[in-house]
């Protein structure tokens, strides 16, 4: 099969060019491309001669003096326009085309679907659908959900000049600029003064949560894509660069050194969490655009998808972000972040150090009004949408100080001896906290914690409902259940508290009790846990912990392992990013099937980071879950991925018929 | 239904008494009991009058002057003897009987199976079988396997006077006496001088292994039934009392205080690991008896059971103990204990701190001859019996020092700076070591470790075989596999090493490669892991880790959780003691079924402490495993439990027909 060659370099009536049928940067429906007279393709690529624009409009816009193809070869241009239209309709997508004109005759060399920015992808998909070239479903399939991150966060202006200080892992997408601050308390204080902060830490711990909340962006010198900083930052939607190991942080001196340059507290930097860059000064940025084509695609997606999409949100700010991104409820409200706030951590510590139930109840009584206020705000924001609240989950030692100096200070505040506090710290120390005294195990031992939390939830529901006039249905979620007995013991405390609040308030409460399914045993015993009138009314698969236990891999320690495993192709994909269908996925499928078998109405969702991963969302759709829950910024990703999953499985079902 | 009362207090021809048809302490076939003339039952119980022996023989033995029933009422005695025989034959067991004589007439009040010691249970079972009253199978069913512990360890003489210093948890059964020593190195040194040592520690860590090996018994002030000390002591068959919190140990002063008394290093104490007691001085003991009725029952058990019974043994001493208890092979040889020994831990540390493969290979070359010698000894002891060797498993940080002073000393020995060593310690630190960089993950990153270990195993097999003339078939076990790719990468290294050793030695090696199934994912993916010619040739369920991951419960941290869970009846039985049939058990069943489906010849066993638990052994039988492996001292328990499981399931099968 021999093809004759055409020549674009046979004089002034010959030319060669490349074109996109639409603008690949904005998606606008306009011919976009360039050409050279008397030239071959390689001349365009080589960049020796400056190509000329195809259209007069583009020539004018660029202030170009050399004529456009439209002017120079009007007939050829007209033919080209007709062919472009034909090709686009035939291939049903924006085309990237090469052509040559040999002595006035037009020859098409190549056509293929053109690469485009995410913004362009949205516009092209919407307009192709509106032109009737694509169905709405086809238009939805044209957008890569993972690429939405580009749209949902501020991004560095691509034309801006960047002086890079250091690079690290792109741990949480988006860009942010602010002053360097090394301490979380200080970050919070400066934020309160209205300043924009970049929190820079060697690594973060749960005690930095308030600082991370206050910061516009986060940088760590240590830790991987699944380190504390990375996970929390993604959850909060804060841009984050992790493991920037070139940074030498001197906390005492308040300096940051990298590549021989020293930066001080207060110096302005910009971070790009999408690229993993830390940059000198405040670099110009582009803000995200949630209306227009984006909104159109999202509304089409909502019309098609079967899966519900909720958000993981712990604070009113999270909840508002979740709503703005289209979340239909809160699938995971972690209550522990509330306990870390300054005004309540002391009461929490008092509770932990109390020597008897009376002492614990006294401390819990101080936390109750604060928790109630938290929940009331959340319920008011969320209205009638479901809000799933997970009871206290982390190991208690996370709330205690560990450095001697800090222990002394806290002991004084608690009115106990440093030795007593230290003894409690030692007593609570664990070799493997992930597999230790946490989740429902805390409440089995100290049921008064659940009682306080249930009371805060129900009293808040009554108050919010009174204020908004809307009915509130909290979903109370018991974490880390492995045995039906655990569930029963705590569900009883919750129901008794509900009855007490009903009697006190003269209101009939509406609520659900359910459980996280985050241990292999829970998935296997799903039927037992969900069976009967008093069984769990909903499941939420905590696939973060289920992945850790099923694969036996600690997320906090996985970074060096993941590196060698990806290098040796043991993982097709990081199992903390995209659900491990074969292993963890089978447990989810087993849990779903067994739970539904005893209770066909069982509400089943997934929380944890997989809820915002398109491949995992597809898995949840196929497995028949009711909803996914993910961090607010991932909600649009999940909505689109859920729509695509529904379209794919409908098509597969049609193919079968 | 009204029953007339009989009276034993109607004069000198009336009497009342209790009797055992055999001696409940020794099991000897002799009437054993006592009576009172002119008395009711309550008089015997009240202890106001001293009862008289039934038989002349017993009267003489006790030096009693009051006449026996045999002399006093010969006719009644004769009748009683006939009735006892009748009752025993009818109920087919030793009977505990109450009787009354009213004016010369004998009335039987009650008969029931009599309580007995373990030694008596063996003798009675054997003799009832030999008398034709029971079948051998029935005799086997009469012995509680859990009670064998009493027979297999030295026990405190029940008549000895005991001054108890403190009590703790009965963490590992048996009794031992020796000098108090607080330091593991010192324990080892004194043991080498032939002295008997009780190692007393606040708690133990992997660095104490050599001290625990050297000690006759172990005491800790902290830690539960599943603490490091408890688990290791049970594995070694060393008596151990854990969590004796009344002990105040002052390591610096070399003293031990409890209940106001102070003991010093070198003071003699006795510990009873069965009762959890720590006792002043050297208390008289009884030695275990492994012949006679015990041997008879064991041989009957071996004739009936289908399950193989192997032992977990890391050292020649363990292996010899295993053989003496009737183990048919080694089901788990943990190689890491070998690395902790003083002469090789330095080379291990050198390997860990090496900055490149060449450095690691240099250090591993020093370990190779020592490992080879270890394996050679094991193979020589075990002859043709199978020996399963698990490749290096624990996290590397367990081999490094953690205290500054120790770091300085080790750094000097390694010829590196303390800062470098400390940096490596920090780098290897993990939040959840149980779910971290360990097992096959080490070898995926550093395959040269597996290469060295495989070479040591195969060279030792060649040497041992040459020496003993017996063929040796090592089973090389890859730990913590979750993905088939992990298995393949390491199996390839092992096979290549085997081919190299074959070429060098001119010998054809016979060996198996297999894997621990100790993660839920491994159980779920069993078919994938075992499929094809290059798939795993055997599975060994590591139910310790499988329990930890399936239930999400760290064994090292479980003590306080287990306490509240047993109190609230959440666990029917501690899942680390007896396998959790519903959860962990389902994973074992899934793994077995899926593995056998692709390879019907797949050899499947269980290692870990469940292998010595009778209920778990029954589970393994029912699930169709090939063998169980347990600590040497539990081997007889497993043999008997396996026989009982076979008998029960045969009976169930017959009932079905």
């Amino acid at each position: 099969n021999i093809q004759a060659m055409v020549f674009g370099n046979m004089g002034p009536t010959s030319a060669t060019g490349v074109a996109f049928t639409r603008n690949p940067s904005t998606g606008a429906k306009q011919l976009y491309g360039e050409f050279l007279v008397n030239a071959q393709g390689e001349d365009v690529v080589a960049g020796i001669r400056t190509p000329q624009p195809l259209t007069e409009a583009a020539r004018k816009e660029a202030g170009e003096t050399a004529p456009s193809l439209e002017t120079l070869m009007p007939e050829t241009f007209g033919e080209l326009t007709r062919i472009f239209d034909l090709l686009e309709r035939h291939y049903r997508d924006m085309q990237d085309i090469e052509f040559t004109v040999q002595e006035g005759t037009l020859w098409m060399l190549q056509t293929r679907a053109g690469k485009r920015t995410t913004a362009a992808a949205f516009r092209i998909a919407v307009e192709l659908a509106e032109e009737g070239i694509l169905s709405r479903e086809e238009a939805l399939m044209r957008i890569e959900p993972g690429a939405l991150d580009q749209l949902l966060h501020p991004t560095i202006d691509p034309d801006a000049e960047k002086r890079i200080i250091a690079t690290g892992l792109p741990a949480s997408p988006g860009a942010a600029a602010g002053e360097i601050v090394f301490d979380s308390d200080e970050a919070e204080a400066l934020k309160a003064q209205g300043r924009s902060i970049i929190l820079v830490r060697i690594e973060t711990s749960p005690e930095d949560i308030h600082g991370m909340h206050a910061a516009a962006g986060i940088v760590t010198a240590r830790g991987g894509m699944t380190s504390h900083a990375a996970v929390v930052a993604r959850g909060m939607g804060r841009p984050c660069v992790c493991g920037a190991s070139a940074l030498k942080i001197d906390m005492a001196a308040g300096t940051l050194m990298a590549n021989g340059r020293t930066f001080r507290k207060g110096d302005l930097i910009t971070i790009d969490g999408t690229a993993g860059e830390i940059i000198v000064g405040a670099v110009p940025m582009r803000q995200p655009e949630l209306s227009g084509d984006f909104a159109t695609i999202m509304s089409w997606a909502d019309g098609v998808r079967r899966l519900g999409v909720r958000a993981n949100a712990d604070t009113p700010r999270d909840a508002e972000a979740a709503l703005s991104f289209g979340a239909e409820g809160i699938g995971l409200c972690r209550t522990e972040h509330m306990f870390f706030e300054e005004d309540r951590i002391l009461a929490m510590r008092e509770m932990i150090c109390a020597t008897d139930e009376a002492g614990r109840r006294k401390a819990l009584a101080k936390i109750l009004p604060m928790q109630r206020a938290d929940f009331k705000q959340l319920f008011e924001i969320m209205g009638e949408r479901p809000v799933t609240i997970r009871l206290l989950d982390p190991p208690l030692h996370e709330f205690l100080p560990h450095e001697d100096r800090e222990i002394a200070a806290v002991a004084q505040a608690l009115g106990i001896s440093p030795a007593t506090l230290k003894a409690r710290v030692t007593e609570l120390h664990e070799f493997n906290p992930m597999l230790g005294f946490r989740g429902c195990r805390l409440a089995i031992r100290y049921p008064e914690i659940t009682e306080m939390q249930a009371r805060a939830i129900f009293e808040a529901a009554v108050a919010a409902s009174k204020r908004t006039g809307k009915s509130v249905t909290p979903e109370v979620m018991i974490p880390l259940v492995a045995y039906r007995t655990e569930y029963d013991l705590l569900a009883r405390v919750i129901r008794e508290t509900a009855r007490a609040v009903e009697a006190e308030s003269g209101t009939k409460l509406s609520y659900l009790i359910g459980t996280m399914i985050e241990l292999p045993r829970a998935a296997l015993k799903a039927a037992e846990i969900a069976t009967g009138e008093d069984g769990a009314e909903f499941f939420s698969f905590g696939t973060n912990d289920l992945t850790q236990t099923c694969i036996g891999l600690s997320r906090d320690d996985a970074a060096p392992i993941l590196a060698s495993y990806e290098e040796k192709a043991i993982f097709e994909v990081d199992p903390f990013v995209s659900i491990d269908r074969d292993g963890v996925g089978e447990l989810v499928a087993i849990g779903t099937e067994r739970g539904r078998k005893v209770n066909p109405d069982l509400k089943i969702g997934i929380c944890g980071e997989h809820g915002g991963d398109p491949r995992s969302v597809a898995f949840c759709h196929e497995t028949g879950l009711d909803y996914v829950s993910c961090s607010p910024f991932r909600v649009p990703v999940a909505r689109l991925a859920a729509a695509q999953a529904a379209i794919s499985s409908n098509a597969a079902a049609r193919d079968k018929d």
Side-chain angles (χ1 to χ4, degrees), chain A:
Chain A
N1 197 2
I2 297 167
Q3 177 75 42
M5 185 163 171
V6 291
F7 295 89
N9 53 359
M10 296 188 67
T13 57
S14 298
T16 200
V18 295
F20 288 86
T21 56
R22 299 181 190 231
N23 185 323
S25 175
T26 64
K29 189 168 182 181
Q30 55 192 192
L31 267 194
Y32 181 93
E34 44 196 23
F35 75 105
L36 278 174
V37 175
N38 194 13
Q40 280 294 70
E42 61 261 32
D43 300 319
V44 180
V45 179
I48 299 164
R49 289 165 58 190
T50 304
Q52 297 152 242
L54 292 184
T55 64
E56 264 305 278
R59 187 193 65 76
K60 280 179 193 152
E61 202 184 306
E64 195 60 66
T65 50
S68 67
L69 189 73
E70 192 173 0
T71 311
L72 201 66
M73 304 181 181
E75 243 175 80
T76 303
F77 180 80
E79 201 183 346
L80 210 49
T81 312
R82 278 191 304 280
I83 292 174
F84 283 1
D85 197 50
L86 213 63
L87 285 170
E88 208 183 69
R89 286 185 174 269
H90 179 79
Y91 288 109
R92 309 173 74 226
D93 198 359
M94 181 262 263
Q95 296 296 300
D96 172 356
I97 292 166
E98 293 177 25
F99 63 90
T100 285
V101 185
Q102 183 177 334
E103 297 177 320
T105 308
L106 174 63
W107 299 88
M108 306 307 295
L109 303 188
Q110 177 179 289
T111 187
R112 57 183 170 183
K115 287 209 181 350
R116 62 206 83 179
T117 64
T118 304
F122 272 87
R123 179 159 176 186
I124 292 169
V126 168
E127 292 185 359
L128 286 175
E130 285 170 349
E131 291 162 26
I133 297 175
L134 294 181
S135 71
R136 285 184 176 184
E137 294 201 347
E138 287 169 321
L140 284 169
M141 296 304 282
R142 288 291 169 83
I143 296 164
E144 171 53 50
L148 259 68
D149 264 345
Q150 268 190 43
L151 282 190
L152 302 176
H153 296 275
T155 46
I156 303 266
D157 186 326
D159 299 329
E161 193 206 345
K162 299 186 291 186
R163 278 182 300 151
I164 291 174
I165 301 170
T167 58
L169 298 168
S172 180
E179 298 173 35
I180 296 174
V181 170
F182 297 103
D183 179 83
S184 287
D185 292 340
E186 202 176 344
E188 199 176 30
L190 290 173
K191 164 76 185 173
Q193 297 170 23
R195 283 150 76 178
S196 180
I197 301 304
I198 303 292
L199 181 65
V200 178
R201 303 278 298 164
I202 295 170
E203 55 197 343
T204 63
S205 76
E207 291 174 27
D208 289 314
I209 296 288
H210 63 297
M212 297 172 78
H213 249 301
I218 297 141
V219 171
T220 68
R222 252 207 316 252
M225 290 296 285
T226 52
S227 63
H228 178 266
V231 171
V232 173
R234 284 196 292 274
M236 291 178 174
R238 293 286 177 290
C240 175
V241 176
C242 272
S245 51
L247 298 183
K248 304 291 166 219
I249 298 172
D250 186 336
M251 303 290 289
T255 59
L256 172 68
M257 294 217 302
N259 297 324
R261 288 193 56 178
T262 303
F263 298 84
R264 316 202 147 272
K265 195 177 76 174
D267 286 353
L268 268 184
I269 56 172
T270 299
I271 68 168
D272 183 344
T274 311
E277 293 171 347
I278 306 161
I279 309 162
V280 180
V283 183
M285 277 184 241
R286 289 186 178 169
Q287 290 308 311
E289 174 60 73
L290 299 185
S291 56
D293 300 319
F294 173 83
T296 305
I297 288 286
M298 283 297 134
S299 77
W300 292 353
D302 291 345
V304 170
R305 67 186 161 88
R306 185 191 57 66
L307 271 179
V309 177
R310 300 193 190 179
N312 301 344
D314 307 341
T315 64
R317 180 155 58 168
D318 290 344
E320 275 157 2
L323 285 187
S324 77
F325 286 116
E328 296 160 315
I330 292 178
L332 176 63
C333 169
R334 284 163 292 225
T335 55
E336 53 269 20
H337 291 174
M338 303 174 179
F339 290 105
F340 280 110
E341 285 183 24
E342 207 179 346
D343 50 344
R344 40 194 102 169
I345 188 147
L346 193 69
M348 188 66 185
R349 288 167 169 170
E350 186 186 327
M351 196 276 292
I352 295 170
C353 293
T355 51
D356 59 10
E357 189 184 321
R360 280 189 297 275
R361 285 190 178 277
K362 195 172 142 240
L364 287 165
K366 295 180 192 169
I367 302 174
L368 173 64
M370 303 188 246
Q371 279 251 297
R372 186 171 50 216
D374 294 330
F375 295 137
K376 180 163 171 277
Q377 261 190 293
L378 276 185
F379 294 147
E380 286 173 4
I381 292 167
M382 298 305 292
E384 295 190 341
R385 296 178 190 85
V387 176
T388 308
I389 295 167
R390 180 176 73 183
L391 300 179
L392 188 68
D393 184 54
L396 297 180
H397 51 73
E398 285 195 8
F399 297 95
L400 295 183
H402 291 92
E403 304 296 330
D404 280 349
R405 221 181 40 178
E406 225 189 329
I407 287 178
V410 171
Q412 194 177 19
L414 290 175
I416 60 178
S417 75
T420 304
L421 179 55
K422 203 164 180 174
R424 187 68 174 141
V425 170
T426 306
E427 190 184 358
L428 287 172
H429 170 264
E430 294 182 307
F431 295 100
N432 297 290
M434 163 72 209
L435 308 176
F437 185 44
R438 51 170 287 235
C440 67
R441 297 164 190 170
L442 300 171
I444 295 284
R445 181 113 163 250
Y446 306 130
E448 51 276 11
I449 300 177
T450 294
E451 200 184 309
M452 182 281 285
Q453 291 202 291
R455 178 167 282 277
I457 293 167
F458 294 131
E459 290 182 351
V462 171
S465 181
K466 212 167 271 175
R467 172 121 188 250
T468 62
K470 290 178 180 163
S471 76
V472 173
T473 300
E475 302 180 345
V476 185
M477 181 154 74
I478 304 174
L480 214 73
V481 162
Y483 293 81
R484 170 64 186 259
T485 335
E486 295 172 319
Y487 177 82
D488 283 342
L489 283 168
L490 298 185
R492 197 173 307 138
V493 173
I494 296 163
R495 276 191 289 264
E496 278 166 12
T497 307
R499 275 193 292 272
V501 173
E502 284 180 334
E504 293 159 20
S505 66
T507 322
K508 177 84 190 132
L509 285 166
S510 152
Y511 63 94
L512 298 179
I513 307 178
T515 173
M516 293 278 276
I517 302 286
E518 51 190 330
L519 296 174
R521 193 184 201 279
L524 295 171
K525 302 306 294 168
E528 195 175 296
I529 293 169
T531 206
E533 275 210 1
D534 289 342
E537 293 166 295
F538 65 88
F539 283 172
S540 179
F541 285 97
T543 50
N544 290 354
D545 281 9
L546 197 59
T547 299
Q548 298 192 80
T549 47
C550 177
I551 305 183
L553 186 58
S554 159
R555 202 171 57 169
D556 288 329
D557 303 311
I561 298 161
L562 293 175
S564 61
Y565 273 49
E566 284 175 11
E567 184 192 315
K568 297 193 178 172
I570 292 168
F571 292 146
E572 277 173 58
V573 52
D574 177 345
F576 293 113
V577 169
S578 195
I579 195 165
D580 160 42
R581 281 185 173 238
D582 279 2
V584 179
E586 182 172 5
L587 289 176
V588 172
I590 287 173
T592 302
E593 189 201 318
R594 295 185 182 181
R596 287 258 171 77
K597 199 165 180 184
V598 297
N599 178 3
D601 299 327
L602 192 68
K603 216 167 157 177
I604 305 184
I606 187 180
C607 56
E609 295 201 79
H610 293 123
D613 164 67
R615 273 184 286 201
S616 308
V617 170
F619 168 82
C620 293
H621 175 93
E622 291 161 30
T623 311
L625 268 51
D626 295 307
Y627 68 88
V628 298
S629 186
C630 56
S631 72
F633 277 83
R634 303 291 292 180
V635 164
V637 176
R639 288 159 72 195
L640 179 57
Q644 293 186 344
I647 294 166
S648 298
S649 68
N650 290 347
R654 272 196 303 272
D655 286 351
K656 249 192 204 161
D657 291 345

